[in-house]
Amino acid sequence: MWVPEAGVGARTVAVSVGGAEALAAVAEPEGVRGTRPGTHRLIGAVLEAAGRRLPCVRVHALRDHVFHAELQLDDGTRIDARTSDAVVLALQHSAAIEVGDTVLAAAGIDPGMAGAQDAGPQTDDVDAFRRFLDTAVPDDFDDP
């Protein structure tokens, strides 16, 4: 996830996510959907049924190595959310992802440095995941 930092350029904040959230985040831009809505699709459907939109999610704190986020609805309502869920919802609803200045100061890195940290096993994992996506069918994403 990245946000522009005034006068400096882009900064990146790396957020660890679980397998389900990672699949949901990657499946959305690829247009892959299961036959039944998963949790993130369900939340989006509930927001829509309530007449609400999700224009923004905000990562506002980093406490004890845990990022804290909130959904910011179009009527001003703020809902506490796991950062991984908030990011997936933002991707699914084309919502902005904002990261607070204190979070950027504590956890932000220069995007040019992101790939230089430890590309070993992560590269293999990404390649394996890409191979999976190349052969995946919608039923692979159904809820168990």
Side-chain angles (χ1 to χ4, degrees):
M1 157 179 24
W2 65 273
V3 295
E5 187 174 26
V8 177
R11 300 281 287 169
T12 299
V13 175
V15 177
S16 295
V17 298
E21 292 82 7
L23 282 173
V26 173
E28 182 62 27
E30 297 293 323
V32 177
R33 292 191 174 153
T35 56
R36 302 289 302 146
T39 303
H40 302 98
R41 285 255 163 245
L42 174 62
I43 293 169
V46 169
L47 289 174
E48 185 177 321
R52 299 278 53 96
R53 288 185 316 99
L54 178 67
C56 178
V57 302
R58 181 165 178 76
V59 181
H60 60 86
L62 177 61
R63 292 189 291 269
D64 298 322
H65 306 289
V66 176
F67 291 100
H68 295 263
E70 62 187 12
L71 309 178
Q72 296 182 345
L73 304 185
D74 60 336
D75 67 350
T77 301
R78 295 171 184 245
I79 303 168
D80 185 40
R82 293 186 322 165
T83 301
S84 56
D85 291 331
V87 168
V88 170
L89 285 165
L91 293 172
Q92 289 179 343
H93 295 273
S94 300
I97 301 171
E98 296 179 356
V99 179
D101 291 339
T102 57
V103 176
L104 279 173
I109 58 173
D110 181 318
M113 298 301 293
Q117 290 184 359
D118 180 27
Q122 292 175 337
T123 301
D124 293 339
D125 292 343
V126 170
D127 289 341
F129 188 64
R130 285 187 177 136
R131 283 191 303 277
F132 165 75
L133 287 178
D134 286 342
T135 61
V137 295
D139 289 339
D140 291 336
F141 297 94
D142 283 342
D143 291 333

